[in-house]
Structure formats: structure tokens, C-alpha cells
Amino acid sequence: MSEHSEFKAQGERLSKLRKAKGLTAEQLAAEMTKSGSKVSRGAISNWERGINGIVSSKLPALATLLGCSEGYLLRGELSETSSLNSGANSLSNNNANSSYDNSYTATKPSTDQNTPLSSSQCDNNQSTSTRIMTNTISTSIRKPLKKSDKLKNVCYDIRGPLLKTAMQMEAQGQKILKLNVGNPAPFHLDAPHEILQDVALNLHNATGYSDSQGIFSARKAVLQYYQSKGLLSAVDIRDVYLGNGVSELIVMTMQALMNDGDEILIPMPDYPLWTAAANLAGGTAVHYRCNEDNNWQPDIEDIRSKITDKTRGIVVINPNNPTGALYSNEVLLEIIDLAREYNLVLMADEIYDRILYDDAVHTPMCTLAQDILILTYNGLSKSHRIAGFRAGWLMLSGNKDHASDFIEGLDMLASMRLCANVPAQHAIQTAVGGYQSIRDLTAESGRLYKQRQLAVERLNAIPGISCTMPQGAFYCFPKIDRTIYPIKDDMQFMMDLLIEEKVLMVQGTGFNWDAPDHFRVVFLPNLLDLENAMDRLDRFFANKRKQFGTEHLLTGCQEEKAETL
């Protein structure tokens, strides 16, 4: 059996046992963590889909919780026995051990067991068998080189199995409409010419390493950006770290902040890199709920209920990816109060702060409090359409008196990677201080505004689909009515969409949402391509209603939906 087939069989057994126990993947992950064997929901989901094999160190706790043997989970063995004969049979069924032991036995010199060997015979035979065994291992029994166990708890479905399938289909000549990644460039949303020109003019100054935190002019420009927003204490360039996009700075923060077993509060749904970075750093991502019925605002009481003595900080993604929600000042102040009460670090991911609609105003979290430590993340990838430049920043503000050791850790990590992309750093001063062309795109007459309107209107017109209007970013996060579309695996549902209609989107659980009833739509394509995508989506859901036999349920659901809208 191939490794992939083996993993798939393990996943099917795991899924059946979990469902028989009446547990969701998230509940099973929580029980595993309580038992001292930390694992994420994403890891369990990957095991069940056969993407990864079950991590050996997690196997005992998993088997105990599911009430089965380890052998059953791994190989489908209904029982395990310790007798020599059954042990030999088990060994012969184990491919790796069987090939090792049999090849070794076959090459050992044949001897009469009743005839004692001389010392020289023993030495020669031992030397020969050891040499043959070593050769066998190196040439015919190569142990599979597996990824680190730390990555088994990491999930990033935005560029996961769905994208791999899409790439295979493209290699076969099929054309795929990709609505999976917020990357403006492929949709002809071009970078401002002034930025490109300034980067080009400074190339001769950008061939060597810069200061590990970044060039002076860019860091100063970041400080001045927040001064213009009301943070008058933003004066020390040592508070600014430039990174290869916000992504690198998120990973650096988690590595500097978290010890094994520490917890970080992250919104649900989330941008999955936050969860992945926390898990990779040895911590645990604990997800607090955002309420769809309240335009996806964070649930303050849910945040409070999940704070423990292991909690180190709270992540706030505003405007939010994947929902497009913009948080009210009232909600931001309530989160700040929690951070103040429990002595937590606030991490404000504000990469979409300039992509706003309907005259909405974004308030940087750092401007609302000076007595707690706030880490602000931002950059140019989205607002200035230069995602490939990887130009992002992290700024520290507020009370830093108690954080000198943590800051020393950030300095160390910044130095270890030497510096961020130097040519791209020269884009920052021009970008944050010049004319903000993104406003032309988000204005009522602008392209992004019109694409947002089209996407939400068409999604809400599909029976059994509902979608809130995003106030920021270029995503929406529609809900699937599971009475009409009774799906259990939203990733497979999106795989069906890809294969049947050639449209690539990401399922809601890929953003650590806890139910298979959402998906993310990227509305970056121009109106013509977006109409095409929505036509395909409409046709796909119509076919699914026929497949599920739920057309008769539409009348009542549509009336209820019309009242809601």
C-alpha cells in the first residue's frame, strides 16, 4: 500500500471513530490537549483527509480517547496480541520492519546451530552481516524522510490541496477561475507608478544588507503615518521592524512570545497564518467567536471566557480577513479593557486599514490606549498592490516597561534573518506619505466597490446562501444553509466546485471556522470575470440541490431569507 493510501485508510478509521463518539474535530482536539497531548483541529482534519499520517507521539492519547487500539488506528488491526507467533505475523505485515529484518536474515551466513563458532568466525560473520545490513539500509530500505511533527499541527488551506488540484487541472489545459488568494496583481490591479519608479531609482542603494530592523527613511515614515492617525508618542524608530511582509513578522512575534503550552486568543474565522504560527512556536491557538448576526463583530464575552493563566495575548484582525468586517471603536475599547484587566499583549493586524467602503473610518488600535503593549502590523501588499515586494512592518506602542526581554527576543530574531528585502523597503516612504490611489478603487465609482456589490448581490440571490456586506478588504464570507445543502466536509464541497465548474475558492474551515457551512469569496476579478464566476457558482448550487433532493425546501427558506434581507 502506498503512503498516501495508508494515510487515507487511517483517516477513514479515525473519522468513523470520532463520529461514533459524537465528537467534532475541534472537540476531539480539545480533549487531546486536555489529556496533555496537544493537537489542533486543523491537524485532525488533515489526518482524516489523509493529507498527513497520524503523528506517533499523539497516537496513545488518540487511541485512548476513541476507545480503540493503536494498531487499529494505524493498520486496521482488530486486536493486538503479544505471543511470538502473532508478533511474527504482525512483523511480516509491517512493510518497513519486514523488509529490514528479512533482508538482514537472508544475508547472514548459514551455520549449524549445534556447532559453536570460533572467535575469528564470530568476528568475520559479525563484520560481514553488519556490512551487508548497512548496505541494505542505504540502498533498498530508505526510511521515509518525513516533515517535522511540529508541522502536523499546522494548516494553511489557502494554498493547500485545492490549489494543488487546480494546478494539476491547469497543467492538463483547463482554465481555472482563481478566487482563493487576495493577490491584486493577477487581476490587473496595478501598483502606483510612483512607487515602482522610486524603488527603481534606489536600486543602487539597495544591493547590501540594511539595518536588521530596516532602513531609517522607511521606519520614520511608518512612525509619521501613525502620528497622523493620532499616536503622537510614535517617535522612536527602534519601535519599528520592517519585514518580508506581515507574514514574516507574525511568525517572528510568535517565536519571540510563546513558550510550549502558552495560549494566544485568535478570532474565528481567522487568517490561518496566525493559528499556524502559534502552533509552530509550540503554543496553542484558542479561537474566540465573531458573531455573523452582528456583522462579524468579536464576541467579548466569548473572549473573556477563554482567557486562562496560560493566555499571553489577543489577536485582532481589523478590517477582518475573511469576513471583511470593520470593528467599531466600542468593541475595540472592550478588547483593550480585557487586555488591561488580564495583563495581555494586543496584536492588531491592520493590513487592510486603507481598503474601506461606504465612507467607513478605521481606527488604529494603538491610538486607543497607551498603558498596555500593542503590536501593530501593516504593510503595502494589499493597499498598494505590491504583494510580491513583501513590504510590511510591525510597530510597538504603549507600555513597554515590562517587555524588555520580549523586545530583546524580537531584536534577536530580526538580526538572525539579517534584514527584510531592501529594495522593497524603499517603497514605504513614498507609499505611506503620497496620494492614496486605493481610494479611487473603493469609492462608489471605483472598481473594487462595484465588484463588492456584484459579489454580495449575486451570492444572496442563490437559494440557501446568505452574505453580509463587507466594509473593508476584498473578501466576503457567505454562509451555506445546511438544511438545503447538507454537507459534512466543506473542503470536499469546494473540491466538487473546482472540478465541476473550474472555480477555486477556500472552504470556511480553512479559516478555522468550526462548522462546514461557509466559504470565502475573493472579489478581485473584474466585473466580467466575476459575473462568470457567479454564474458558475449559481449553476453548481442548483445542481447540488437536485443531488441532495432539497428543492422542495426552498419556498420557506427563501421567504425567511427575504425577510432577513
Side-chain angles (χ1 to χ4, degrees):
M1 181 185 291
S2 70
E3 186 178 78
H4 177 72
S5 300
E6 183 182 341
F7 290 171
K8 199 161 185 64
Q10 289 177 11
E12 289 172 356
R13 290 190 290 271
L14 172 57
S15 179
K16 287 179 182 177
L17 287 169
R18 174 181 62 75
K19 291 173 182 176
K21 288 284 185 180
L23 297 171
T24 65
E26 183 159 8
Q27 289 169 337
L28 179 57
E31 291 300 317
M32 290 276 290
T33 301
K34 283 181 186 176
S35 71
S37 187
K38 188 189 74 171
V39 71
S40 69
R41 179 210 59 79
I44 290 175
S45 179
N46 284 343
W47 295 344
E48 291 190 354
R49 292 169 182 157
I51 296 171
N52 298 321
I54 299 171
V55 179
S56 58
S57 62
K58 312 295 181 185
L59 194 57
L62 190 60
T64 300
L65 285 170
L66 296 176
C68 67
S69 69
E70 296 177 28
Y72 177 73
L73 278 174
L74 285 181
R75 297 178 293 277
E77 297 170 359
L78 294 178
S79 63
E80 293 179 304
T81 172
S82 60
S83 69
L84 288 175
N85 289 337
S86 63
N89 291 335
S90 174
L91 186 61
S92 67
N93 289 330
N94 185 310
N95 290 338
N97 288 341
S98 174
S99 58
Y100 180 97
D101 288 5
N102 289 344
S103 63
Y104 176 54
T105 303
T107 57
K108 287 175 68 176
S110 174
T111 60
D112 185 341
Q113 292 181 347
N114 295 320
T115 304
L117 294 172
S118 67
S119 176
S120 60
Q121 285 176 313
C122 284
D123 291 341
N124 289 337
N125 287 334
Q126 182 178 8
S127 175
T128 302
S129 61
T130 301
R131 183 172 64 252
I132 295 173
M133 180 180 70
T134 302
N135 289 340
T136 303
I137 293 172
S138 63
T139 58
S140 62
I141 310 178
R142 294 182 185 274
K143 185 178 180 181
L145 186 62
K146 297 181 178 294
K147 61 178 172 284
S148 163
D149 284 353
K150 290 180 289 188
L151 287 170
K152 297 292 178 73
N153 292 327
V154 172
C155 182
Y156 192 76
D157 283 346
I158 294 175
R159 292 178 180 261
L162 287 164
L163 178 60
K164 291 180 181 177
T165 302
M167 292 171 67
Q168 291 170 356
M169 293 170 68
E170 285 183 321
Q172 297 166 359
Q174 302 182 58
K175 186 175 181 180
I176 308 298
L177 275 171
K178 294 180 180 176
L179 307 184
N180 63 313
V181 177
N183 184 13
F187 302 102
H188 305 293
L189 287 157
D190 298 328
H193 178 72
E194 184 183 13
I195 291 178
L196 301 181
Q197 186 178 43
D198 280 12
V199 170
L201 289 172
N202 279 287
L203 281 178
H204 68 285
N205 295 322
T207 56
Y209 298 131
S210 73
D211 182 286
S212 60
Q213 287 184 229
I215 62 176
F216 176 86
S217 61
R219 291 155 71 194
K220 188 67 175 178
V222 168
L223 292 174
Q224 291 172 339
Y225 177 72
Y226 290 100
Q227 289 173 14
S228 72
K229 299 287 185 178
L231 185 66
L232 300 183
S233 61
V235 294
D236 190 342
I237 65 165
R238 290 176 298 177
D239 290 334
V240 178
Y241 298 78
L242 304 187
N244 294 301
V246 168
S247 300
E248 180 187 46
L249 296 165
I250 290 171
V251 173
M252 282 172 54
T253 302
M254 293 298 106
Q255 290 174 334
L257 180 67
M258 304 193 76
N259 290 316
D260 290 353
D262 284 347
E263 296 175 353
I264 196 84
L265 291 172
I266 297 174
M268 177 178 69
D270 73 341
Y271 176 56
L273 178 66
W274 279 104
T275 295
N279 290 335
L280 193 58
T284 299
V286 177
H287 295 99
Y288 64 83
R289 185 169 292 276
C290 296
N291 292 325
E292 187 170 15
D293 294 338
N294 188 26
N295 289 320
W296 292 109
Q297 299 289 303
D299 186 326
I300 301 300
E301 290 310 310
D302 192 53
I303 297 175
R304 181 184 293 276
S305 71
K306 290 173 177 173
I307 296 174
T308 71
D309 59 357
K310 296 180 179 179
T311 306
R312 302 298 302 278
I314 305 173
V315 174
V316 179
I317 305 174
N318 177 42
N320 184 264
N321 174 12
T323 65
L326 179 68
Y327 299 161
S328 68
N329 284 5
E330 179 184 4
V331 165
L332 295 177
L333 288 169
E334 288 184 280
I335 296 174
I336 287 171
D337 286 342
L338 287 176
R340 183 180 292 121
E341 180 180 350
Y342 293 97
N343 191 28
L344 302 176
V345 180
L346 280 177
M347 285 153 273
D349 182 345
E350 299 176 347
I351 188 72
Y352 298 98
D353 70 334
R354 286 148 290 182
I355 306 178
L356 303 170
Y357 307 94
D358 304 320
D359 298 319
V361 177
H362 173 269
T363 302
M365 214 163 187
C366 61
T367 64
L368 297 176
Q370 286 293 293
D371 59 325
I372 59 174
L373 179 61
I374 299 179
L375 313 182
T376 300
Y377 303 80
N378 211 322
L380 308 180
S381 292
K382 314 298 184 177
S383 59
H384 291 78
R385 289 86 69 200
I386 53 172
F389 279 36
R390 312 310 299 128
W393 63 79
L394 160 64
M395 184 187 70
L396 280 60
S397 65
N399 187 354
K400 301 184 286 290
D401 294 342
H402 65 301
S404 59
D405 199 53
F406 163 68
I407 294 171
E408 183 181 330
L410 278 179
D411 291 343
M412 185 184 303
L413 290 167
S415 297
M416 286 168 61
R417 54 88 204 242
L418 297 178
C419 65
N421 182 331
V422 180
Q425 294 182 42
H426 287 280
I428 293 175
Q429 183 178 25
T430 300
V432 298
Y435 175 70
Q436 301 301 299
S437 59
I438 188 66
R439 294 172 186 166
D440 297 334
L441 296 169
T442 58
E444 192 169 345
S445 59
R447 174 180 161 179
L448 284 178
Y449 183 96
K450 292 177 180 179
Q451 289 164 194
R452 177 190 68 143
Q453 297 298 112
L454 171 65
V456 173
E457 288 172 8
R458 289 293 305 270
L459 287 165
N460 279 320
I462 299 173
I465 303 298
S466 57
C467 185
T468 61
M469 180 67 75
Q471 290 181 282
F474 30 66
Y475 315 105
C476 48
F477 200 58
K479 182 177 183 178
I480 303 170
D481 186 341
R482 292 177 68 203
T483 60
I484 297 175
Y485 309 98
I487 60 176
K488 297 181 180 178
D489 185 339
D490 57 347
M491 181 177 181
Q492 184 58 52
F493 198 66
M494 289 294 102
M495 188 70 78
D496 292 345
L497 171 64
L498 172 60
I499 293 170
E500 295 172 22
E501 294 293 347
K502 314 296 186 292
V503 177
L504 175 61
M505 296 182 186
V506 181
Q507 76 281 3
T509 55
F511 301 92
N512 290 295
W513 187 246
D514 61 353
D517 61 357
H518 283 78
F519 59 101
R520 188 184 75 167
V521 176
V522 177
F523 54 80
L524 286 172
N526 63 53
L527 288 172
L528 185 62
D529 288 340
L530 198 58
E531 281 275 20
N532 185 7
M534 292 299 138
D535 289 344
R536 299 187 194 190
L537 205 60
D538 200 0
R539 183 168 58 231
F540 172 76
F541 278 104
N543 289 334
K544 285 298 179 182
R545 292 193 298 273
K546 292 178 183 177
Q547 179 184 325
F548 292 131
T550 55
E551 291 278 2
H552 66 285
L553 300 175
L554 288 183
T555 304
C557 290
Q558 288 299 90
E559 290 176 356
E560 182 180 340
K561 181 177 179 179
E563 291 176 6
T564 303
L565 296 175

